Amino acid sequence: SSTELYWGQSEASNMQAKIALLGVLGTSQAFYLPGVAPVQYDDGARVDLKVNKLTSVKTQLPYDYYTLPFCKPVSVVQSVENLGEILAGDLIENSPYDLRMGDNQNCKLLCKQELKQADKDQFRARIDDEYMVNMIVDNLPAATKYIRRSDGNDYMYMNGFPIGVQKNNKYYIYNHLKFLLKYHSSDDFDGHRIVGFEVEPHSIVQATQSDPAQPGGLKAVCQEGAEATLMELDSYP
């Protein structure tokens, strides 16, 4: 049996914009580490989102990101940029995500994947072993915000986000990502510098509709705030 799995993304242009499903760009203050040259992005410039190895504190055995059937770019290219990343054993590669500075994308379909039974079994194994997805934007690792109190005033951050979750013997994949990109602007330089990168993962059955203008002839349909059906592996044979 096989399952059609849709991966989604979205993006918003500033902190006042409506947050949809790939990110929000906002102003912030920051400092830069010695030896790491800051990059300025003009409005509309492409912001590369890279993927790193899948990691687990349970097994301590890393895997290449594309060992799981995630959406791939046309050509996968290794992208380790400095000695520190080499010494850390990073497996940094490009991704098909298309982020543009200041360009709001409320809801965007990244790709459609067909999952065979072997793919589902592999996802279950990685979820059982508590593997985390790690992404990078402009040398900044993705962080996930966890709320500790219902009023939202107490929270913590951790590197990356889980591939999925197991609950009541059912497995759910995080196939829909909300990205928050924070940037800094100044009269001292042109463009914007990215200073923060957060990811909020979601598991949803992605609604789509026909659109010949889009790659693959489909576009994503999102309704902010609406309750969505979770993407459970065995519910979609």
Side-chain angles (χ1 to χ4, degrees):
S1 62
S2 64
T3 294
E4 287 188 343
L5 178 62
Y6 295 88
W7 301 90
Q9 68 171 82
S10 64
E11 181 179 0
S13 59
N14 53 58
M15 293 297 279
Q16 289 73 42
K18 181 179 179 182
I19 302 177
L21 288 173
L22 217 173
V24 165
L25 305 178
T27 58
S28 180
Q29 299 291 329
F31 63 91
Y32 296 95
L33 298 175
V36 179
V39 178
Q40 282 84 248
Y41 296 89
D42 294 330
D43 289 333
R46 181 181 175 88
V47 178
D48 289 330
L49 188 155
K50 301 176 183 178
V51 294
N52 202 348
K53 59 191 176 184
L54 305 174
T55 54
S56 166
V57 297
K58 184 176 181 180
T59 69
Q60 299 294 316
L61 178 64
Y63 284 95
D64 185 284
Y65 176 83
Y66 292 113
T67 55
L68 285 177
F70 294 121
C71 301
K72 287 185 177 183
V74 175
S75 177
V76 176
V77 179
Q78 291 192 356
S79 186
V80 176
E81 295 184 348
N82 56 58
L83 180 60
E85 293 172 349
I86 295 174
L87 294 176
D90 287 336
L91 299 172
I92 301 174
E93 296 165 309
N94 59 328
S95 80
Y97 289 95
D98 184 19
L99 282 67
R100 304 281 172 171
M101 176 60 72
D103 182 13
N104 179 23
Q105 297 286 339
N106 287 333
C107 187
K108 190 172 182 180
L109 183 66
L110 185 63
C111 79
K112 180 178 73 173
Q113 293 282 85
E114 181 177 304
L115 298 185
K116 301 184 183 301
Q117 188 59 47
D119 298 322
K120 296 180 184 181
D121 293 341
Q122 194 175 26
F123 269 117
R124 291 190 191 94
R126 297 289 184 269
I127 293 172
D128 284 338
D129 286 335
E130 302 174 5
Y131 272 88
M132 304 286 287
V133 176
N134 298 286
M135 294 178 166
I136 298 172
V137 165
D138 198 20
N139 288 318
L140 295 173
T144 302
K145 184 177 182 179
Y146 289 87
I147 307 297
R148 295 199 233 189
R149 283 171 39 183
S150 59
D151 60 10
N153 291 326
D154 187 17
Y155 55 86
M156 61 176 289
Y157 288 94
M158 66 183 297
N159 286 337
F161 59 91
I163 291 172
V165 64
Q166 188 258 32
K167 187 175 182 180
N168 298 327
N169 294 319
K170 293 183 178 180
Y171 291 82
Y172 304 91
I173 296 177
Y174 289 129
N175 64 316
H176 200 84
L177 304 180
K178 181 185 292 185
F179 294 160
L180 171 63
L181 296 177
K182 298 181 180 181
Y183 68 82
H184 170 59
S185 302
S186 172
D187 294 335
D188 296 332
F189 55 84
D190 295 329
H192 317 285
R193 294 176 179 174
I194 296 174
V195 296
F197 176 36
E198 296 178 22
V199 179
E200 183 180 314
H202 296 265
S203 176
I204 69 171
V205 176
Q206 179 64 61
T208 62
Q209 68 182 38
S210 178
D211 186 349
Q214 299 295 323
L218 293 172
K219 72 175 182 180
V221 178
C222 303
Q223 186 174 355
E224 186 72 15
E227 184 175 352
T229 303
L230 300 181
M231 182 59 215
E232 197 266 304
L233 277 175
D234 289 327
S235 294
Y236 301 91

